[in-house]
């Protein structure tokens, strides 16, 4: 079971659209993006515009994945049960909500928060110390949940085997 969370309702909508319309092959990724933009004209995609969507995909895969590996992973992704949650995960209440969901989930959990605690805008407004403190607080909350899990982001990886 996957809980995909984001602060942006548009990001959630994009993930749902991508899951519904993309077949995992890069040949049709641009048309899937264009159909999403047509449905949501106020949307402004965030990728390396100077590379275009296909150039960004190639950059992402370079020296990491083959197109076939991405396709196989995408096919597996399509078999998973996904719950979409729009929330501000920087807030304690959103973190508590996720940790509560995990209490009823058997087995090991994996939580990936990507660049949540190191986004450029956050560094500009709050500074690196604030960002690291928020990340540390989140990791402490996860550790105190007494659930077996891996918690990872761009700043750290922690394994809790409670």
């Amino acid at each position: 079971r996957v809980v995909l969370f984001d602060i942006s309702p548009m990001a959630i909508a994009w993930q749902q659209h991508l899951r519904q319309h993309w077949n995992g092959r890069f040949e049709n990724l641009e048309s899937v993006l264009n159909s999403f933009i047509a449905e949501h004209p106020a949307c402004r995609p965030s990728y390396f515009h100077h590379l275009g969507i296909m150039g960004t995909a190639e950059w992402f895969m370079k020296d990491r994945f083959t197109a076939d590996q991405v396709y196989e992973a995408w096919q597996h992704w399509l078999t998973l049960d996904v719950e979409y949650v729009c929330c501000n995960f920087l807030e304690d209440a959103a973190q508590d909500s996720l940790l509560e969901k995990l209490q009823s989930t058997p087995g090991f959990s994996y939580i990936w928060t990507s660049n949540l605690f190191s986004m450029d805008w956050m560094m500009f407004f709050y500074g690196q110390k604030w960002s690291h403190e928020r990340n540390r607080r989140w990791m402490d909350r996860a550790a105190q949940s007494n659930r077996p899990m891996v918690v990872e982001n761009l700043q750290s990886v922690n394994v809790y085997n409670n």
Side-chain angles (χ1 to χ4, degrees), residues 110-118 131-132 134-140 150-160:
Y110 174 79
I111 303 170
W112 164 251
T113 57
S114 184
N115 65 338
L116 174 67
F117 297 99
S118 58
S131 174
H132 285 288
R134 291 302 301 179
N135 184 51
R136 187 196 58 73
R137 283 181 57 200
W138 156 239
M139 293 296 183
D140 289 349
V150 174
V151 180
E152 181 178 2
N153 60 41
L154 294 180
Q155 291 180 358
S156 58
V157 176
N158 292 295
V159 178
Y160 306 110

Side-chain angles (χ1 to χ4, degrees), residues 6-155:
D6 201 289
I7 192 171
S8 166
M10 192 61 67
I12 297 285
W14 164 245
Q15 289 297 322
Q16 292 169 321
H17 182 88
L18 189 64
R19 186 176 165 95
Q20 185 176 29
H21 297 283
W22 190 43
N23 66 3
R25 296 285 183 202
F26 287 102
E27 293 81 24
N28 76 332
L29 181 60
E30 191 164 16
S31 67
V32 171
L33 174 64
N34 290 338
S35 68
F36 181 78
I37 293 170
E39 290 176 20
H40 305 278
C43 170
R44 295 291 168 249
S46 178
Y47 58 86
F48 298 118
H49 289 281
H50 66 286
L51 296 176
I53 188 66
M54 295 311 298
T56 300
E58 290 169 9
W59 170 83
F60 171 74
M61 291 188 333
K62 185 178 169 72
D63 302 325
R64 292 183 190 103
F65 312 104
T66 66
D68 286 338
Q69 288 172 319
V70 171
Y71 175 79
E72 289 173 25
W74 189 255
Q75 297 313 302
H76 176 69
W77 169 248
L78 294 176
T79 68
L80 301 176
D81 178 27
V82 179
E83 176 185 353
Y84 299 90
V85 177
C86 189
C87 67
N88 181 353
F89 204 69
L90 291 172
E91 295 177 351
D92 292 347
Q95 294 173 12
D96 288 342
S97 177
L98 177 65
L99 292 171
E100 286 172 21
K101 284 181 188 293
L102 294 179
Q103 293 303 325
S104 63
T105 303
F108 219 83
S109 298
Y110 174 79
I111 303 170
W112 164 251
T113 57
S114 184
N115 65 338
L116 174 67
F117 297 99
S118 58
M119 293 186 287
D120 292 341
W121 69 267
M122 187 185 304
M123 297 296 180
F124 180 78
F125 283 113
Y126 300 111
Q128 188 173 22
K129 183 179 178 183
W130 183 91
S131 174
H132 285 288
E133 174 60 22
R134 291 302 301 179
N135 184 51
R136 187 196 58 73
R137 283 181 57 200
W138 156 239
M139 293 296 183
D140 289 349
R141 293 167 78 84
Q144 293 167 4
S145 74
N146 293 320
R147 289 281 305 135
M149 67 178 85
V150 174
V151 180
E152 181 178 2
N153 60 41
L154 294 180
Q155 291 180 358

